[in-house]
Amino acid sequence: MPMDAILATVAHVNTGEVRYAPADGIPALKQAVIRYTEEFYDRKVNPENIIASGGAKQAIMVALQAILNPQEEVIYPAPYWVSYPDMARLIGAIGVPALPEDGTFYPRIKDITDRVGSYTKAVIINSPNNPTGAMYSEEFISDVVEYCEKKDLWLIMDDIYHRLIFDGRKTINCYKYAKRLDENSKIILINGVSKQYAMTGFRIGWAVGNKKVIEAMSNIQGHQTSGPSVLLQKAAVAAINGIQSGVESLRVTLENNRNVMVDLLHSFEGVKVTKPDGTFYCFADFSVYEKDSNKLSEFLIDKVQVLTVPGKEFGLDGYLRLSYCGTIKDIQEGIERMKWALDLNSPNELYIGDRKLVRDWS
Ligand code: PLP
């Protein structure tokens, strides 16, 4: 977490000026987001094009509330972030997952267009993706942008992991492919401080969109939670405008952790791994051991205290999402315990600290 953010929060709390903030964010955060959008997306926007929310999560939720009516549909590639289907459900709308037909984690435009019908109102693209770590191709992003413009669909770009990418990849700028760059743009760009600055608990995210949709989102947010706490917005301003070396060191650490995890996973016979292009997740196919990912995930936490998230939650059973944002030691230990629990050829005993575990299952 950036020291700049901590100092800014403390400095502000000492002023005692902790009152209601505007529903759509304080001017200083809007200015920081304007600069950020120019730097990473080469796009000049105005304060009226920005809303600061309680995390990217709230920004996405109020965006969906602003654009979807009950019964209308929003399409997103699968595997998808767990919250999208429930967010749609909360509005009475319908989430439509699009699992790539070719069996990869990389959708093609046809995977989306095949699911578009008269109720379709929006598409959500999350790249790099939670849970797979897949960063979609420039070709796919340009196809989606063009298609949504042609069909007059909203396009929510969940770019929350856009700076945490590996192997020399460059951030993809969705606006590069947009023809409508004025107030008729239907792209809603989502970002936040949780991942890139490791500030998950500060709960600051934002959306960039046309004035009208931002106004609608601000009205909704104003009646939900009001604007995010000014203290936390000050912290986000300091992180965005402060020294950025922490983002690069986080990125390098994650890339290294990814390499370690993928290598270790290759030692599991029958487990299929796709090397993540970014994020801090690896989504591996463990169906060779157990097809029901809920069962497998419960088994691992119960027997060896390794926390995984079942693939079913992300729309693909048989898989587990593993996180590599801990230390190398955590990753090695976690995989070693999984291997012991699952590979019945491994020795019958395992030590967790001083505790000796004896396998009593087969
Ligand atoms: N979008 C995706 C794809 C995520 O993985 C997450 C967090 O896990 C979020 C949005 C929400 O982030 P925030 O902490 O800013 O609400």
Side-chain angles (χ1 to χ4, degrees), residues 139-192:
E139 186 190 349
F140 175 71
I141 301 295
S142 75
D143 285 349
V144 170
V145 171
E146 275 174 29
Y147 181 80
C148 288
E149 281 195 346
K150 198 172 80 194
K151 292 278 179 185
D152 202 29
L153 299 174
W154 290 95
L155 174 57
I156 298 180
M157 294 296 299
D158 182 349
D159 269 20
I160 189 92
Y161 298 99
H162 80 121
R163 291 171 83 186
L164 302 180
I165 52 181
F166 313 141
D167 310 313
R169 289 182 171 76
K170 297 266 173 293
T171 289
I172 296 179
N173 173 8
C174 54
Y175 294 119
K176 197 169 142 193
Y177 306 101
K179 292 201 180 67
R180 280 193 220 156
L181 284 167
D182 53 12
E183 289 301 331
N184 293 316
S185 167
K186 283 189 139 183
I187 295 176
I188 302 176
L189 177 64
I190 305 289
N191 241 306

Side-chain angles (χ1 to χ4, degrees), residues 127-302:
S127 172
N129 174 268
N130 177 3
T132 65
M135 181 169 166
Y136 302 156
S137 70
E138 189 124 14
E139 186 190 349
F140 175 71
I141 301 295
S142 75
D143 285 349
V144 170
V145 171
E146 275 174 29
Y147 181 80
C148 288
E149 281 195 346
K150 198 172 80 194
K151 292 278 179 185
D152 202 29
L153 299 174
W154 290 95
L155 174 57
I156 298 180
M157 294 296 299
D158 182 349
D159 269 20
I160 189 92
Y161 298 99
H162 80 121
R163 291 171 83 186
L164 302 180
I165 52 181
F166 313 141
D167 310 313
R169 289 182 171 76
K170 297 266 173 293
T171 289
I172 296 179
N173 173 8
C174 54
Y175 294 119
K176 197 169 142 193
Y177 306 101
K179 292 201 180 67
R180 280 193 220 156
L181 284 167
D182 53 12
E183 289 301 331
N184 293 316
S185 167
K186 283 189 139 183
I187 295 176
I188 302 176
L189 177 64
I190 305 289
N191 241 306
V193 297
S194 284
K195 315 294 175 178
Q196 55 184 320
Y197 299 113
M199 288 169 62
T200 51
F202 284 71
R203 310 307 308 129
I204 298 293
W206 62 86
V208 177
N210 75 44
K211 261 189 225 167
K212 248 179 144 171
V213 79
I214 294 294
E215 194 183 340
M217 289 164 68
S218 306
N219 284 337
I220 295 166
Q221 186 164 287
H223 291 291
Q224 270 180 355
T225 54
S226 304
S229 162
V230 65
L231 285 178
L232 307 176
Q233 293 193 62
K234 288 275 178 176
V237 171
I240 298 167
N241 290 343
I243 297 166
Q244 298 297 297
S245 55
V247 183
E248 178 58 10
S249 77
L250 174 63
R251 196 199 64 72
V252 169
T253 303
L254 292 175
E255 182 166 347
N256 190 34
N257 288 4
R258 184 247 355 221
N259 293 342
V260 170
M261 180 174 273
V262 168
D263 280 351
L264 290 171
L265 283 173
H266 279 140
S267 69
F268 276 82
E269 217 162 292
V271 168
K272 289 187 213 113
V273 193
T274 305
K275 201 174 182 184
D277 307 319
T279 74
F280 38 84
Y281 310 111
C282 184
F283 200 59
D285 180 353
F286 277 82
S287 57
V288 64
Y289 291 108
E290 167 63 64
K291 288 195 169 31
D292 181 337
S293 55
N294 280 327
K295 245 185 175 169
L296 187 59
S297 191
E298 260 174 46
F299 171 80
L300 290 169
I301 192 87
D302 183 36

